[in-house]
Amino acid sequence: MKVRMCCAGLRNLLQGLTFSAKYYSKHNPPQRVCPYSKIGPKNCHILGCSKSICTHRSAPPGSILPCRFFSCKQEGTKVPSKTKQNTSIVTSDLLHKNLLKSEQKNWNNISPTYKAMTKRIKEKLEELHNMYTLNSRSPRMRFGENVYFQENGCIFLAKADDGEGNAKILFSVEDLGFSDAFIQRIRISPDQRYMAISLKSENSEEATCIVMKLGNLPVVEKVIPSAFSFEWAANDVLYYTTQKNLKCQNVFMTTFTYQKHTKLVYTEQDARFFVDLYCTKDRRFLTINSNSKTTSEVWLVDCRHPFESPALVQARTTGVIYHIEHRKDQLYILTTYGEPAEYKLMKAPIGSSGKENWQLVYALEKKTKLVDFEMFSDDCIMFLKNAAHLYLNVISFVSYSVQSIKLPTWACEFELESHPEHTTSTCYFQLSSPVHPPKCFAYSFKENNLIEQAVQEVPIITNCHTTRLLAKSKDETLVPITVFHNKNSKELHRRPLLVHVYGAYGIDLNMSFKEEKLMLIEEGWILAYCHVRGGGEQGLSWHRDGCQQNKLKGLHDLRACIILLHQLGFSQPKRTALAAASAGGVLAGALCNTDPALIRAMVLQAPFVDVLNTMMKTHLPLTIEEQEEWGNPLEDEKCMKYIKSYCPYQNIKPQCYPSVFITAYENDERVALPGILQYVQKLRKAALDHANRTSKKGNWIPNIILDVQANGSHCDSSWEHSLNEVARHLAFLNRELEEVCHPQHHSKSANNS
C-alpha cells in the first residue's frame, strides 16, 4: 500500500501521528495528509446497520513537522455571567491586537538589518533548488495504457507508449479559478471515467474535492467542500469524509450515474477518533479506518457490492492499532496486537476476522521502527529503521521467506513510487538525506536484489561525511544522533553547529533533502539531528518512553546529545544553535530555560510553548485528543505539576538567554498566535531584567525576535513563502554567530542595510 503519497496513511499511523499534513506545491508531487485522534469508549454508528448495537503518520525549505492543534491562549478564570465573559473576550482580543501591532513594528524596525544577507541566501537557495529539481518530476500513476501525472497545477493524461510530449490536459487549477490552491490528492475511478481531485490553499486547513467526468472535454461533475479523504469503491461510487474543526467523523457515499444520490454511511461519535478511507492494493475492499493515537477500528466495504453496509473487522480494543490489506481471500493485518506492543504482520480469513483468529506472519525486532509497508500480489515490502539505519525487508508469500537488505549508510529518508501496480515485478523508491538529493533505487522480486538506477544528471555529493553517535542520557538510555559535516572542514570545534529536535507524537525528525542544509554544509556548518524519546525513531516504545509522565526524558536526551557533541569536538556552546518546529518547541523551549548556556541562538517555527494553558482548555477542538501525549492536567493534579515543571512558558525566569527567532502565522489553527505573542513578551522581559540586574560593561543582551506571517498556515506553505522564511532564519543565525559564520557577509549586510 502506498502510504506517504496517496493512501490512507499507514505510514502516518505507523508514526503514531495525531495529525500529519505535508507540504504541497508546484514543485512537489501530490501527498497525503492523515490525522489520528485518541482513545475513547465504544461509540460508533453504522447507518443502515441491521444490528441495533454495533459490535465493533522532498520537502521544501522551511516545511515544518506535523503536529496536532495547539492553542496557547492564557488560561482565564471562570466568570458567572455572559456579560463578563464577553467583556473578557473583547479585552483579550484587544490585548492580542496590541501585542501583534507591537511585534510587527519591532520586526519592521529590525528586518532591514538582515536584508542584504537574506537576499544572498535566497539567491543561493534558488540556485541549489534549480540545480537539484531540474530533472525531478512528479509521480506517475499508471492505469493500463494510460499514465496520469501532475505538473505546475495541471493534471495530464498520456499514453504509456507515446511519451509525454503529446499529453492531454485534463485539469488546470488556474482555469477553474483556484489560482491560489495546490493539488493535494488525485483518485481515478476504476473505469477511468471519473477523476476526483482535492485542492487546498496554504491559508486553510480544509480542502475542496472536485469530481471531473473525463472524456474528450472533461467537465466538473461535482464539488464537495471540506472534503478530507476520498476513494472510489466502484466505477461511479465515491466514498469521502468531511472535515470540520480539524475533525473527520462522517463518511458519505455519492453516485454519479443513474439515480444520483449522496448518503451518510458512517458516523464516529467519539471525538477522540478520526476517520479516514483507504482502498486495498488489489481494490477488493475500501476500508473505513477510525483511529486514535493508540487504538484502531476498521470497517470493510466490499467493492464488488459498494451499496452494502460496511462489515466490522475487529472491535476497537484499547491499545491495539491495526491496518488492513487483502490478498487471495485473506486479510493481512499490520497491528500492535500481542507482546511486545510493536508492529507485526498477521493474517486472518475474511469471514473470521476477529483478533482471536489472527495468525502471526512476521514480527519486528526490538527497537525497530516500521516506517512504511507496501503490499504486492506475491510479496510485501517493509521499510525499517534500526539504530538510525534504513533496511528493506521483503516477505515472500510464495516461498515464505524473508530477505533483509541494508540500504546505503548515508540514507535517512525514502519515498516510494506513487501508485505502484499491484502485480509489478519491481518496486521503485528514492533515498535521500538532509544533504543528499533523492536517488532512485529499485528492488526486483524476480532477481531478489537491489538495483541502483541510472546516474541522474545532478551533482554528486561527495564532500559530506555522515556520522552516527549514541549519547548516554540521564537514565543511561542511549540516544541516537545523526551528524553531517564537510569532509574538508578543519578544527570542527570552531565550526558552527545547528542542532535539530522534535520528540513528540512518535514522529521521526524530518530528514528529507533540503537545499538549505546542503548550503550550510558547503559553508562549513555541522548539522546534528537528535533522535530523542517521544519521537518514533526506535519504534512505538521509544514514543511511549517520552510522552505524558515521561516527557522530561526527551529533555534529558536533548541535553545529553548537545553535551556529547561538544565533548567530541563538534563546535562549542557559543557557536551552537538549536532549531525546532511545532511540538518540537516544547523541548527546545524547555532546554532554553534549563540550560541556556549550551546554545547561543535558537530558531523556532510555529512553536508549541505553553502546554499547561493549552491542556487546561477542553473547549478547544482537539485538546481532549492531546491528553494521551501530554496528560490531563484538569483531572490529575500530579499531571498538572509535571507539565508545569517543563512547560517553556511557565518556566521563563530572569537569566542570560540565547537569542531567539520565532516565525508564527496569523492563520495558524494549531498553534494559536496569542500564546506565542505572550511567550515572546515574557521571554524578552526576563532577558532584559537579567541584563539590568547584572549590568556591566560588555554585558550581552539576546535578540528576541518574532516574525508574524500574514500568509501561510501551520502545515502548508508555498515554495516562495518557505524560501523567504528559511532565508530569514539563516540570516539571523549567521548574524548571531558572526564571529565564525562568514563575518564578511555580516559586514556587507550591515553596510548595505
Side-chain angles (χ1 to χ4, degrees), residues 43 50 74 154 159-160 174 245 256 288 327 349 402 459-460 480 517 534 539 554 596 614 701 721 732 740 742:
N43 287 326
S50 59
Q74 292 298 298
C154 296
K159 294 296 181 181
E174 291 189 0
N245 294 329
F256 294 93
I288 298 174
R327 175 183 177 271
V402 178
I460 301 174
K517 307 305 181 187
T614 300
I701 301 176
H721 184 87
F732 168 80
V740 287
H742 311 289

Side-chain angles (χ1 to χ4, degrees), residues 451-740:
I451 305 167
E452 184 173 336
Q453 298 294 284
V455 177
Q456 296 154 285
E457 296 179 6
V458 296
I460 301 174
I461 309 302
T462 58
N463 64 340
C464 184
H465 185 69
T466 304
T467 303
R468 288 183 170 86
L469 306 171
L470 291 173
K472 186 175 292 186
S473 192
K474 185 178 179 179
D475 61 358
E476 304 293 311
T477 297
L478 297 179
V479 183
I481 314 171
T482 306
V483 183
F484 304 94
H485 66 85
N486 195 309
K487 288 182 179 179
N488 300 321
S489 293
K490 306 297 182 182
E491 297 184 308
L492 290 177
H493 68 285
R494 295 182 178 273
R495 296 293 178 178
L497 166 66
L498 182 57
V499 178
H500 303 75
V501 69
Y502 188 70
Y505 302 108
I507 300 173
D508 298 4
L509 269 171
N510 186 347
M511 298 188 70
S512 57
F513 175 69
K514 293 184 176 65
E515 292 88 349
E516 70 268 25
K517 307 305 181 187
L518 180 57
M519 185 189 77
L520 290 176
I521 291 294
E522 291 178 348
E523 296 191 348
W525 283 68
I526 304 166
L527 305 179
Y529 291 78
C530 303
H531 309 293
V532 304
R533 281 173 286 185
E537 285 86 346
Q538 299 202 77
L540 298 177
S541 61
W542 196 248
H543 169 233
R544 287 192 296 267
D545 211 22
C547 67
Q548 290 195 5
Q549 297 299 308
N550 293 319
K551 186 57 70 175
L552 276 170
K553 291 182 179 180
L555 176 59
H556 298 155
D557 293 352
L558 177 59
R559 180 192 296 118
C561 289
I562 297 177
I563 291 174
L564 177 66
L565 288 166
H566 292 158
Q567 289 175 343
L568 294 178
F570 292 106
S571 194
Q572 51 190 289
K574 67 179 181 180
R575 294 177 170 86
T576 298
L578 180 60
S582 193
V586 174
L587 296 184
L591 183 86
C592 199
N593 288 327
T594 61
D595 298 270
L598 282 179
I599 57 176
R600 171 63 183 255
M602 180 167 69
V603 288
L604 302 176
Q605 192 176 13
F608 183 32
V609 287
D610 193 355
V611 184
L612 184 60
N613 283 322
T614 300
M615 297 308 298
M616 296 286 284
K617 291 182 175 293
T618 56
H619 65 275
L620 295 174
L622 303 180
T623 297
I624 292 177
E625 300 178 28
E626 292 300 323
Q627 290 172 356
E628 285 196 6
E629 181 68 27
W630 311 100
N632 183 0
L634 282 174
E635 296 183 1
D636 187 341
E637 186 176 355
K638 182 180 178 181
C639 175
M640 179 187 293
K641 291 180 179 178
Y642 187 77
I643 291 176
K644 193 172 183 179
S645 72
Y646 67 79
C647 176
Y649 179 82
Q650 302 294 331
N651 291 280
I652 294 173
K653 58 188 177 184
Q655 61 179 333
C656 185
Y657 278 99
S659 289
V660 180
F661 190 108
I662 297 177
T663 298
Y665 310 98
E666 284 194 60
N667 299 314
D668 196 332
E669 296 182 59
R670 300 180 179 276
V671 176
L673 183 57
I676 296 179
L677 288 168
Q678 292 165 354
Y679 173 80
V680 168
Q681 291 281 322
K682 187 175 180 180
L683 187 64
R684 189 180 291 136
K685 183 179 184 301
L688 290 174
D689 286 348
H690 171 75
N692 291 333
R693 293 178 189 177
T694 60
S695 58
K696 58 183 178 181
K697 187 176 180 180
N699 194 37
W700 182 67
I701 301 176
N703 290 310
I704 311 295
I705 301 173
L706 175 61
D707 175 20
V708 180
Q709 296 292 307
N711 297 318
S713 64
H714 193 81
C715 302
D716 302 297
S717 296
S718 66
W719 159 258
E720 292 77 10
H721 184 87
S722 295
L723 176 64
N724 290 327
E725 193 171 290
V726 167
R728 288 191 292 268
H729 286 181
L730 297 186
F732 168 80
L733 291 178
N734 273 274
R735 198 165 183 83
E736 290 300 320
L737 281 62
E738 60 185 332
E739 61 204 53
V740 287

Side-chain angles (χ1 to χ4, degrees), residues 18-161:
T18 45
F19 184 88
S20 170
K22 295 286 186 180
Y23 168 92
Y24 304 89
S25 78
K26 65 183 180 183
H27 304 282
N28 285 6
Q31 299 184 20
R32 281 276 305 124
V33 286
C34 181
Y36 294 99
S37 338
K38 297 285 182 287
I39 301 178
K42 198 183 297 183
N43 287 326
C44 84
H45 185 206
I46 287 286
L47 301 182
C49 182
S50 59
K51 298 180 181 180
S52 59
I53 300 177
C54 293
T55 57
H56 356 288
R57 112 24 54 72
S58 67
S63 62
I64 62 180
L65 290 171
C67 88
R68 293 300 292 172
F69 173 91
F70 296 117
S71 173
C72 301
K73 295 181 180 179
Q74 292 298 298
E75 177 69 3
T77 55
K78 295 183 179 180
V79 293
S81 68
K82 291 184 178 179
T83 302
K84 290 183 179 180
Q85 188 175 14
N86 291 336
T87 302
S88 175
I89 293 173
V90 171
T91 303
S92 177
D93 288 344
L94 183 60
L95 175 62
H96 167 214
K97 290 179 181 178
N98 290 336
L99 287 176
L100 178 57
K101 287 181 180 178
S102 175
E103 291 300 332
Q104 288 172 330
K105 182 179 179 180
N106 184 58
W107 170 245
N108 289 335
N109 291 335
I110 294 174
S111 58
T113 307
Y114 303 100
K115 185 176 181 180
M117 191 178 297
T118 298
K119 181 181 178 182
R120 176 188 71 83
I121 293 171
K122 281 181 61 178
E123 290 173 350
K124 178 63 175 177
L125 290 177
E126 286 177 324
E127 178 185 337
L128 288 171
H129 179 78
N130 292 332
M131 182 184 302
Y132 289 106
T133 60
L134 183 64
N135 297 300
S136 65
R137 66 175 193 170
S138 62
R140 270 50 182 164
M141 296 178 288
R142 181 161 181 167
F143 289 80
E145 297 302 314
N146 292 331
V147 177
Y148 298 84
F149 61 97
Q150 71 114 343
E151 298 283 358
N152 300 322
C154 296
I155 299 176
F156 296 87
L157 169 63
K159 294 296 181 181
D161 300 328

